[in-house]
Amino acid sequence: MDSSVSATISTVTLPPPPPPPPPSSSASDPLLPHASSQEDQYVASITEEHEVTCWGCGLILILSPYTPIFKCGWCGAVTNHNSVKGDNSHFWWRRLRDRCFVCILLLFMFFIIGGGIWAIYPIVFSRSYFCGVLHITISVMLSITTLCTYILSAFRSPGAPPLIPWGSYPAVGKGGLEGYTFCNYCSKPKSSNSHHCRSCGMCVLDMDHHCPFIGNCVGAANHRVFILFLISAVISNFYVSIISSYAAYYIWPPIRNLPISVLSGSTDYMLVYGFLKEIAFAFFASVESLSLRGFVLVYLFIAGVSVEIGLCVLLWQQMSYIYEGKTYLIHLSSRGTNRNGKKDCQNIVRFFGCPYSATRCLLGFWNARKIHTK
């Protein structure tokens, strides 16, 4: 009985304890403090690597290493660590190019005005004194309007974003920089409806595009003046083409009369070809005896028509964007997406700053027609 009990007890003996860890070769102190110090150093290194300071309010945020773009939960500022300041070494070259375009365009306008007065109005005054006074009055009004709107759109500031406090937590309130990003060129906040123009060297509010012919950006402060310049320039070039052709009609040398027998025969291909050939030879023969005033009138007509076509295309494009409630840059950014603005004539009314009462009768009928067609 005793031998069986002793055999049972010997079968249930506990295993030996595990061997102790090897002693550290770098310290003779106990292992527990050393392990805790290594853990503290490891956590501290991770926290230091992913601490990011918000540029808007200055708060320190702890982020994941895979978040190059983040939005501050307090001020709403957006930070992009991947944004790199581009090369701005050609800034003065672009400014010089724009100023050269402005000087050339001003000389062209002064040449059109001076050449029109020298070549057109002696002929118009010789036909009728009343017509001469009427045409000179229209020309002076169109010239002043075109030059003033051009100078305002070229030398007026396109509109800078508003200056708001940033960089300090006490100065920036909750959501005070919502949607703002940081401009690396200007070193200041940039709103979502602003764009930095490297040709002008500034951020432009509601930027439409940079026009080299005015040497300036088209933005919130000069967009309306730019549209008025396009309208005035289109009307002026149309008037120049009409009045120059009217004056050239009276001073053009007489074209050699064609024989009537050419038109009395049967209308075949060779007859039409010969008739057109005679007209072309007669026209070029009359050009040889054309005076200097006549050549200036021909140039004014060709220049007026060509410039008018280009300005009409640009004006139509601008008015279509205004009708959609967009700018050119917004149109480019929304291309290929489903972001469609509300198309309405009220966008044009609000753009030009007209009161609603002045356009109630006109736009009410137009909007009613659009509703019925839908």
Side-chain angles (χ1 to χ4, degrees):
M1 184 69 177
D2 295 335
S3 62
S4 64
V5 172
S6 62
T8 306
I9 293 174
S10 65
T11 56
V12 294
T13 55
L14 295 175
S24 176
S25 61
S26 61
S28 61
D29 294 335
L31 298 176
L32 183 59
H34 181 73
S36 63
S37 63
Q38 283 186 347
E39 184 180 359
D40 292 342
Q41 292 177 2
Y42 181 72
V43 174
S45 63
I46 291 180
T47 305
E48 186 178 355
E49 285 179 359
H50 300 95
E51 278 187 357
V52 180
T53 303
C54 175
W55 63 264
C57 57
L59 294 179
I60 298 177
L61 307 176
I62 300 176
L63 301 175
S64 170
Y66 302 103
T67 55
I69 301 175
F70 68 93
K71 182 177 181 181
C72 180
W74 170 256
C75 65
V78 179
T79 302
N80 185 6
H81 289 293
N82 292 333
S83 61
V84 180
K85 184 176 180 180
D87 185 16
N88 203 25
S89 59
H90 302 289
F91 171 73
W92 293 108
W93 165 250
R94 289 191 290 265
R95 296 296 292 173
L96 179 62
R97 176 204 62 186
D98 293 343
R99 294 310 174 193
C100 289
F101 273 124
V102 171
C103 294
I104 292 173
L105 197 55
L106 283 174
L107 290 176
F108 175 76
M109 287 192 287
F110 281 119
F111 174 76
I112 294 294
I113 295 172
I117 293 175
W118 177 78
I120 295 174
Y121 292 99
I123 303 171
V124 177
F125 272 101
S126 65
R127 304 299 302 176
S128 172
Y129 183 79
F130 174 77
C131 291
V133 173
L134 177 64
H135 289 305
I136 197 69
T137 304
I138 296 174
S139 298
V140 169
M141 293 176 60
L142 291 176
S143 301
I144 293 176
T145 304
T146 305
L147 287 174
C148 289
T149 52
Y150 178 78
I151 291 173
L152 286 176
S153 60
F155 298 101
R156 189 176 183 179
S157 175
L163 296 176
I164 56 176
W166 64 282
S168 175
Y169 169 73
V172 180
K174 177 69 175 177
L177 295 171
E178 184 69 30
Y180 276 74
T181 56
F182 190 77
C183 180
N184 292 321
Y185 295 93
C186 301
S187 298
K188 63 181 181 180
K190 180 177 66 174
S191 59
S192 57
N193 58 343
S194 300
H195 184 79
H196 184 86
C197 178
R198 288 188 292 176
S199 296
C200 295
M202 62 177 293
C203 289
V204 180
L205 185 64
D206 290 335
M207 179 178 173
D208 186 84
H209 68 286
H210 181 83
C211 182
F213 293 102
I214 65 173
N216 199 2
C217 282
V218 179
N222 64 346
H223 197 178
R224 188 184 307 169
V225 181
F226 180 72
I227 297 297
L228 293 177
F229 161 69
L230 292 180
I231 295 174
S232 177
V234 167
I235 297 175
S236 300
N237 282 278
F238 178 76
Y239 174 75
V240 167
S241 60
I242 293 298
I243 197 66
S244 59
S245 60
Y246 171 79
Y249 174 77
Y250 285 100
I251 68 168
W252 200 271
I255 300 177
R256 184 170 57 86
N257 294 327
L258 297 176
I260 303 298
S261 59
V262 175
L263 302 176
S264 60
S266 58
T267 57
D268 56 355
Y269 173 76
M270 295 302 298
L271 183 62
V272 173
Y273 175 75
F275 179 68
L276 294 177
K277 185 177 179 181
E278 288 289 332
I279 291 179
F281 277 119
F283 177 78
F284 285 112
S286 62
V287 170
E288 293 178 356
S289 58
L290 193 63
S291 62
L292 179 61
R293 194 183 302 271
F295 281 107
V296 173
L297 291 175
V298 172
Y299 174 78
L300 290 176
F301 175 77
I302 296 175
V305 172
S306 58
V307 173
E308 182 186 359
I309 293 173
L311 291 178
C312 284
V313 173
L314 180 58
L315 180 61
W316 175 261
Q317 183 187 44
Q318 288 289 312
M319 295 303 294
S320 63
Y321 293 149
I322 295 171
Y323 176 73
E324 296 175 1
K326 300 179 180 179
T327 60
Y328 178 67
L329 288 181
I330 295 178
H331 172 74
L332 291 180
S333 61
S334 62
R335 182 179 296 178
T337 61
N338 295 326
R339 294 170 52 190
N340 293 324
K342 184 180 179 182
K343 300 179 181 180
D344 196 356
C345 292
Q346 287 295 329
N347 294 328
I348 301 177
V349 174
R350 284 190 292 268
F351 176 80
F352 286 103
C354 299
Y356 182 76
S357 58
T359 57
R360 184 182 299 271
C361 297
L362 296 176
L363 296 179
F365 176 72
W366 176 259
N367 291 329
R369 287 183 58 188
K370 291 200 300 182
I371 293 174
H372 288 300
T373 55
K374 290 180 181 179

